[in-house]
Amino acid sequence: MASSNYTLKVNRDLLDPNFESYRLSLDPIPTYDVVLDAAVEEVTLKDCQYTLEHVRAFAMYNYLHLDPWYDDSVLFVDCKGRVLSLTVTLDTVLGKPREVFRLGTEVERREDRVCPSLSLTSATWAALSDGAGRLYLLRTSKRGDSTHGKWEPLFTEDLGEPFIVLHSVAHLQAGAHTLEVLLLRVVKDPQETAGSGYSVTLEWITVANAPGQGLEKNYEVKKRRLLRGKSVPHYAAVTPEGDGLMVASEKPFAFTHLDGQPLKQPQPAAGEPPVDLDKLDPVYFWQQTSDDITANVRLPEGVTKDAIRFRLTADTISVGVRGSASLLEGQLYASVDPEACTWILRENKSLEVSLQKRTEGPVWPELVMGDRRGEHVMSDEQAALVRERLTHLTSEDTHANPDLDKPACNSQELEDCDGYPEDTSSLVHFDGESLETTQVVNLGSHQYLFTVTADPTLMPCLCLRHDVDALLWQPRPDRPADMWEHVATFNALGYVQASKRDKKFSTCAPDFSYASLCECLRRAFIYRQPSPADGVLFNRKQGRRVGQVAKQQVAGLASDKVVLGFRATDERLFALTSANLFVLKVNNK
């Protein structure tokens, strides 16, 4: 199955070009806390867990888990191995967290143990890791009240290397109750001789009972799929029907094993050496001007004009030789005028294709979307023009000619919030059957901010920075043509969060009424959506009336201990330290 490049489509109706700033509000935020009878154990990294990926995966882990199926219900695991649940109905009478499950005493205190992790699979199921390599699938019945009993383990298995549970879903497949669980590991990799010696793996496990036997029968592993990459994913989740997987990461992931067996890679024909894709010569070369494209496609020796297969539409191109695979095929970066395009055979060695751009001016970064087999050749005239346009931005001397109207850029003057990640970040959808990518989004400068579950029946949303704003995207795997929907915007939050040097956690309310940032110690910042202004306000600079105001609030936590977990509901914020669980009343509904 061929993958296609996809561009995130911003809903302009959800943007506010006139947004000015957040106004600090001194309105108090009622804060309540529960003193824990046993500490939340923070699993610190060991000497053998020294890489940046260990830090990203485990040192910054959110120990507090929000139950998206029940309002204002949170869970966490303490140092005694107890899974504790707290549901808030009245803030002034919080009560104590209630034990719903306890990890076995046989939990191995291995040197590379990681933090216990929990995923609320459905309204009646949960997936739990003990941090030492054992997975529990628990039937919880209905949660969210104090009368509910203990959770019942219906599946438990030691899966080897320690892991954390990233995501899980439950669905019916061919009449069988099926659970999909996604696990994350950072493991030693002997092939990583030039790097840290570790790689990141995602294991996608399918557990199910026999069709028609109900929920009381034994569950067993039906399928195991392994992906490997070189960076901890920002976002990874299974589709609700268990037929696909989405991963957002700085470095690409690829499936390597199925049910413990390595996936077969395409083999060269008999007598041909293995193909090294990184050392292949370009299949075609192409140049461009402001109004046309010229591409030269290499042809096998001795090809005649009659053997050429050429097809062109306004948006697609296909070039090949009869009896062979296509040499150049796919969607063009932009539209062309088919009537004004021509091709000619050059000395039976190459095919020269001339394309007329339908829109003059814009520079194409690539000829065919996602095709990396070509090489863009820049003319001397184009290179000179680029150098001329960039002269005021580049210099061998830092801040050369500062008296000019447009002095050279000095990188030392840039703030941290002006930085962007590398252009290799991507958001990928994998097909669950073929294990191939179907759609790829190049995130580029769209820095990942956080993940939140707005609707538990759908996939978690991911929040990305677009310029200074933070845009929330809801995956829609059932709509291949529009797989990621822009559902909310937090004005200027992308710029704000980058300026918070001590920020540890970011989140937002499921109804998108506010976003919040939490520092490592004591403080949480709340950024509300614009609301009608109280009274009459005017912008002094522009002399116009201000109809809406976006408020910023700061809440302090009465604790000197590190914040280990942070979650938001429509009405409340929850912050977890090793000794306290704080509840902040943000909205009244």
Side-chain angles (χ1 to χ4, degrees):
M1 182 180 298
S3 63
S4 59
N5 282 23
Y6 184 88
T7 302
L8 297 176
K9 301 175 183 177
V10 176
N11 184 351
R12 300 293 174 183
D13 294 336
L14 297 179
L15 301 181
D16 183 5
N18 297 319
F19 181 81
E20 297 178 351
S21 64
Y22 288 97
R23 307 294 176 89
L24 180 63
S25 171
L26 299 181
D27 296 338
I29 298 178
T31 303
Y32 311 89
D33 76 287
V34 177
V35 179
L36 306 181
D37 56 9
V40 177
E41 182 183 16
E42 181 181 8
V43 180
T44 57
L45 298 181
K46 312 301 188 299
D47 291 341
C48 61
Q49 300 168 319
Y50 60 86
T51 70
L52 177 60
E53 304 314 318
H54 283 96
V55 174
R56 289 176 172 174
F58 311 126
M60 302 298 290
Y61 185 73
N62 196 330
Y63 284 76
L64 190 62
H65 307 279
L66 180 68
D67 192 337
W69 303 88
Y70 300 94
D71 293 337
D72 296 294
S73 182
V74 292
L75 302 101
F76 59 93
V77 182
D78 70 3
C79 62
K80 296 181 179 180
R82 299 180 300 173
V83 179
L84 300 175
S85 172
L86 176 69
T87 300
V88 178
T89 53
L90 186 61
D91 299 272
T92 54
V93 187
L94 290 177
K96 291 290 185 180
R98 178 175 51 88
E99 178 183 339
V100 294
F101 184 75
R102 186 186 292 258
L103 294 170
T105 57
E106 72 280 0
V107 174
E108 182 182 355
R109 296 291 173 176
R110 52 192 297 172
E111 183 183 6
D112 57 350
R113 179 173 176 262
V114 299
C115 42
S117 54
L118 177 68
S119 173
L120 286 309
T121 308
S122 69
T124 55
W125 281 81
L128 174 68
S129 164
D130 65 359
R134 180 169 290 275
L135 175 66
Y136 297 85
L137 295 182
L138 307 163
R139 189 173 63 179
T140 67
S141 297
K142 290 187 176 181
R143 306 180 295 271
D145 57 58
S146 58
T147 61
H148 176 62
K150 297 294 184 67
W151 294 0
E152 178 186 4
L154 291 188
F155 173 87
T156 177
E157 186 170 323
D158 190 341
L159 300 177
E161 295 286 335
F163 59 85
I164 58 174
V165 180
L166 290 184
H167 187 235
S168 60
V169 297
H171 62 99
L172 288 176
Q173 184 176 16
H177 184 246
T178 306
L179 297 102
E180 312 283 351
V181 187
L182 191 60
L183 315 177
L184 170 69
R185 295 184 178 94
V186 180
V187 298
K188 288 188 175 181
D189 187 351
Q191 298 179 355
E192 278 290 300
T193 56
S196 64
Y198 286 84
S199 64
V200 180
T201 63
L202 293 174
E203 186 171 16
W204 176 8
I205 298 179
T206 301
V207 180
N209 65 349
Q213 293 188 359
L215 302 180
E216 301 295 340
K217 300 299 180 180
N218 292 333
Y219 284 73
E220 60 182 16
V221 176
K222 298 295 184 180
K223 200 171 186 179
R224 298 177 69 165
R225 290 140 290 193
L226 190 70
L227 301 91
R228 190 175 297 273
K230 294 184 179 181
S231 65
V232 171
H234 300 306
Y235 173 95
V238 183
T239 59
E241 299 301 324
D243 55 359
L245 176 69
M246 290 188 189
V247 179
S249 59
E250 292 180 4
K251 303 294 178 62
F253 276 80
F255 281 94
T256 59
H257 292 74
L258 176 61
D259 293 329
Q261 300 298 319
L263 291 175
K264 293 182 179 180
Q265 302 297 327
Q267 299 296 322
E272 293 184 1
V275 177
D276 187 348
L277 296 178
D278 294 332
K279 297 182 179 179
L280 284 177
D281 292 331
V283 175
Y284 60 92
F285 299 87
W286 64 289
Q287 289 182 305
Q288 64 177 312
T289 65
S290 60
D291 55 5
D292 61 32
I293 300 280
T294 301
N296 285 276
V297 183
R298 298 170 56 192
L299 298 175
E301 188 174 352
V303 172
T304 63
K305 183 177 180 180
D306 294 337
I308 300 296
R309 293 291 178 262
F310 180 86
R311 185 173 66 255
L312 179 71
T313 68
D315 299 307
T316 63
I317 187 173
S318 177
V319 178
V321 178
R322 185 174 53 197
S324 302
S326 295
L327 300 173
L328 175 62
E329 184 174 20
Q331 181 178 353
L332 295 169
Y333 178 79
S335 298
V336 298
D337 183 2
E339 300 297 329
C341 299
T342 61
W343 64 269
I344 186 173
L345 191 61
R346 294 289 187 185
E347 299 179 357
N348 295 345
K349 293 182 179 180
S350 67
L351 184 72
E352 182 178 296
V353 181
S354 298
L355 305 176
Q356 185 72 34
K357 293 181 180 179
R358 181 156 286 178
T359 303
E360 297 182 5
V363 176
W364 290 18
E366 55 186 345
L367 178 59
V368 173
M369 299 285 284
D371 194 326
R372 298 294 183 266
R373 299 173 302 157
E375 180 177 325
H376 182 220
V377 180
M378 187 176 294
S379 66
D380 294 339
E381 181 181 352
Q382 287 177 312
L385 181 60
V386 170
R387 284 195 296 269
E388 180 181 351
R389 290 178 176 177
L390 298 180
T391 299
H392 71 285
L393 297 177
T394 59
S395 173
E396 295 180 358
D397 301 323
T398 302
H399 205 66
N401 300 324
D403 297 329
L404 294 179
D405 293 337
K406 295 182 179 180
C409 176
N410 185 351
S411 61
Q412 296 178 353
E413 295 178 349
L414 294 177
E415 301 179 27
D416 290 342
C417 50
D418 293 317
Y420 285 102
E422 295 183 1
D423 198 36
T424 56
S425 298
S426 61
L427 174 60
V428 180
H429 175 265
F430 293 94
D431 179 72
E433 187 63 30
S434 66
L435 306 185
E436 296 180 355
T437 59
T438 61
Q439 287 186 315
V440 180
V441 177
N442 181 9
L443 296 181
S445 61
H446 301 318
Q447 178 188 8
Y448 168 84
L449 301 181
F450 59 84
T451 297
V452 67
T453 300
D455 183 343
T457 63
L458 303 177
M459 297 184 70
C461 300
L462 69 160
C463 189
L464 302 174
R465 177 178 175 177
H466 289 244
D467 196 8
V468 299
D469 295 333
L471 273 56
L472 207 63
W473 298 91
Q474 174 65 66
R476 302 283 187 182
D478 56 329
R479 299 181 344 205
D482 189 18
M483 194 169 285
W484 292 279
E485 179 186 2
H486 176 201
V487 292
T489 300
F490 297 102
N491 300 299
L493 186 68
Y495 191 84
V496 168
Q497 67 86 30
S499 66
K500 303 295 184 185
R501 291 182 176 272
D502 295 327
K503 175 184 66 69
K504 187 174 183 180
F505 298 113
S506 305
T507 188
C508 75
D511 65 356
F512 318 136
S513 60
Y514 68 91
S516 185
L517 312 177
C518 182
E519 294 184 336
C520 297
L521 292 170
R522 293 190 178 90
R523 291 193 302 178
F525 299 87
I526 299 167
Y527 300 92
R528 298 182 181 274
Q529 295 284 16
S531 60
D534 297 330
V536 179
L537 296 178
F538 285 89
N539 184 304
R540 293 182 180 179
K541 292 183 179 180
Q542 300 178 1
R544 63 178 179 84
R545 182 172 178 175
V546 177
Q548 290 186 320
V549 174
K551 294 182 179 181
Q552 171 192 352
Q553 294 174 279
V554 183
L557 306 178
S559 173
D560 59 354
K561 299 185 181 298
V562 175
V563 177
L564 300 178
F566 190 66
R567 301 289 182 181
T569 66
D570 294 343
E571 294 188 52
R572 298 173 177 88
L573 276 171
F574 295 85
L576 178 70
T577 69
S578 60
N580 300 80
L581 175 60
F582 293 93
V583 181
L584 288 69
K585 189 62 177 291
V586 180
N587 289 325
N588 290 310
K589 292 192 175 182

